[in-house]
């Protein structure tokens, strides 16, 4: 409120938590515009500001004053952080999905090798079927977590369903 601010110094009202880039002293020394960013704590919360310092020169080219413009970029930085977190999460989920697809490929290779070797008994009927079903479950689970199901995965699911039916036909 106004009463809380009257007769108080600026450093009693706000606190600079961190700063980056160039500051007003750089502008005073160089007589060139500068840019930076500051994280400032106010009684109402913590905010992030872009800071632009613009030297104002007199008619002889001497520094008269510095105009400083602050832009509140708190929400923008928060959205950028959310995007970074989402991208990292998507990357991890994508890696899990790739691992599941690889496990499924390995299971299918195992079943294919068993079939090629004439193993149509319990190994393919039970172990191979369980291995493929587990890999399909894992792939479906990770695809769901990623929130995407691409057409290639749908085609793979159809092929797997056919393979599982064939394995079931071999018996227990």
């Amino acid at each position: 409120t106004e009463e809380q601010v009257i007769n108080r110094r600026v450093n009693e009202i706000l606190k600079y938590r961190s700063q980056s880039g160039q500051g007003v002293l750089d502008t005073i020394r160089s007589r060139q515009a500068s840019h930076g960013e500051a994280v400032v704590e106010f009684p109402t919360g913590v905010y992030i500001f872009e800071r632009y310092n613009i030297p104002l020169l007199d008619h002889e080219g001497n520094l008269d004053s510095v105009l400083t413009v602050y832009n509140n970029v708190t929400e923008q930085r928060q959205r950028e952080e959310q995007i970074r977190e989402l991208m990292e999460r998507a990357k991890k989920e994508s890696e899990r999905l790739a691992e599941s697809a690889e496990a499924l490929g390995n299971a299918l290779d195992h079943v294919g090798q068993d079939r090629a070797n004439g193993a149509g008994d319990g190994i393919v009927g039970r172990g191979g079927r369980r291995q493929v079903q587990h890999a399909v479950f894992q792939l479906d689970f990770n695809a769901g977590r990623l929130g995407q199901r691409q057409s290639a995965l749908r085609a793979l699911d159809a092929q797997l369903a056919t393979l599982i039916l064939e394995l079931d036909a071999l018996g227990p």
Side-chain angles (χ1 to χ4, degrees):
T1 64
E2 188 176 333
E3 292 125 13
Q4 292 173 318
V5 175
I6 295 175
N7 296 324
R8 293 185 72 191
R9 295 175 184 246
V10 171
N11 64 356
E12 293 175 328
I13 299 170
L14 62 91
K15 295 178 184 157
Y16 278 83
R17 284 190 171 183
S18 65
Q19 296 187 63
S20 61
Q22 298 173 312
V24 71
L25 290 177
D26 295 309
T27 299
I28 292 170
R29 288 184 189 122
S30 69
R31 296 187 339 196
Q32 300 290 317
S34 65
H35 172 264
E37 194 165 288
V39 178
V40 183
E41 181 178 345
F42 289 88
T44 58
V46 176
Y47 299 90
I48 304 169
F49 295 96
E50 282 184 330
R51 177 186 57 241
Y52 297 91
N53 300 305
I54 305 155
L56 302 175
L57 308 176
D58 64 17
H59 65 281
E60 296 176 1
N62 296 314
L63 183 66
D64 181 53
S65 58
V66 175
L67 171 66
T68 301
V69 178
Y70 287 92
N71 292 321
N72 184 349
V73 295
T74 306
E75 288 182 20
Q76 178 183 342
R77 294 299 183 265
Q78 289 170 342
R79 283 191 305 272
E80 289 170 357
E81 181 61 27
Q82 288 172 342
I83 290 168
R84 274 191 290 278
E85 289 172 3
L86 287 171
M87 290 177 68
E88 183 62 30
R89 211 174 314 144
K91 180 181 174 188
K92 287 179 182 176
E93 295 300 327
S94 176
E95 289 168 357
R96 284 190 194 125
L97 187 59
E99 289 171 6
S100 296
E102 184 177 348
L104 178 59
N106 291 339
L108 291 174
D109 285 347
H110 175 72
V111 170
Q113 288 170 359
D114 284 351
R115 292 175 103 189
N117 294 332
D121 54 9
I123 296 173
V124 174
R126 286 187 216 128
R129 182 171 43 241
R130 266 189 253 118
Q131 191 175 6
V132 170
Q133 287 171 334
H134 176 74
V136 170
F137 172 78
Q138 188 177 23
L139 181 64
D140 282 345
F141 178 77
N142 287 330
R145 288 186 66 188
L146 185 58
Q148 301 175 355
R149 198 155 237 243
Q150 302 171 349
S151 60
L153 289 176
R154 281 189 218 110
L156 186 57
D157 280 346
Q159 292 173 357
L160 289 171
T162 302
L163 182 59
I164 289 171
L165 289 173
E166 289 177 13
L167 289 172
D168 283 340
L170 294 174

